[in-house]
């Protein structure tokens, strides 16, 4: 059990306690909101629970990380028009500007042109 460290962090808006090896590798994490200990290596389960014992309040679920549901995977997937792999950066804005160029004389420049420049700069950086 020597060497396991408990490190409190905030990740994706949730407070978690990570259990790490001396080299920094994660062994498990405890999600306080879900009251769940996610163990990556089942052979260290008892060591992880012993290290987390001072931080646990009440019953907790213990096991491997949950598998995402198809609905969660669909929520994380990009729409084909938004994915930069098959599309050039700013392609949708270029099409919109070609279809509706906007008035020729304006007090302020078209905000779509600024968004286009930002997307192209991001695409160049990536």
């Amino acid at each position: 059990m020597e060497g396991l460290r408990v490190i409190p962090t905030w990740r994706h808006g949730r407070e978690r306690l990570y259990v790490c090896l001396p080299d920094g590798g994660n062994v498990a994490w405890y999600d306080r909101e879900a009251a769940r200990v996610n163990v990556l290596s089942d052979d260290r389960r008892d060591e992880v629970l012993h290290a987390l014992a001072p931080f646990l309040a009440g019953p907790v679920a213990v096991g491997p990380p949950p598998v995402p549901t198809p609905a969660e995977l669909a929520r994380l997937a990009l729409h084909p028009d938004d994915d930069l792999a098959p599309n050039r950066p700013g392609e949708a804005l270029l099409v919109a500007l070609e279809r509706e160029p906007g008035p020729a004389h304006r007090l302020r420049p078209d905000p779509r042109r600024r968004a286009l420049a930002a997307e192209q700069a991001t695409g160049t950086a990536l």
Side-chain angles (χ1 to χ4, degrees), residues 24-97:
N26 289 333
V27 178
W29 70 89
Y30 171 52
D31 187 345
R32 288 188 174 184
E33 263 184 48
R36 180 174 182 79
V37 177
N38 296 291
V39 182
L40 297 176
S41 177
D42 223 18
D43 58 333
R44 292 189 174 260
R45 180 181 176 135
D46 294 333
E47 295 174 49
V48 166
L49 291 176
H50 190 338
L52 284 173
F55 304 98
L56 300 178
V60 295
V62 180
V67 176
T69 65
E72 290 172 330
L73 290 175
R75 183 179 52 85
L76 295 174
L78 286 174
H79 188 275
D81 291 342
D82 296 332
D83 190 0
L84 286 181
N87 301 313
R88 295 177 301 165
E91 188 170 4
L93 286 170
L94 281 172
V95 170
L97 285 169

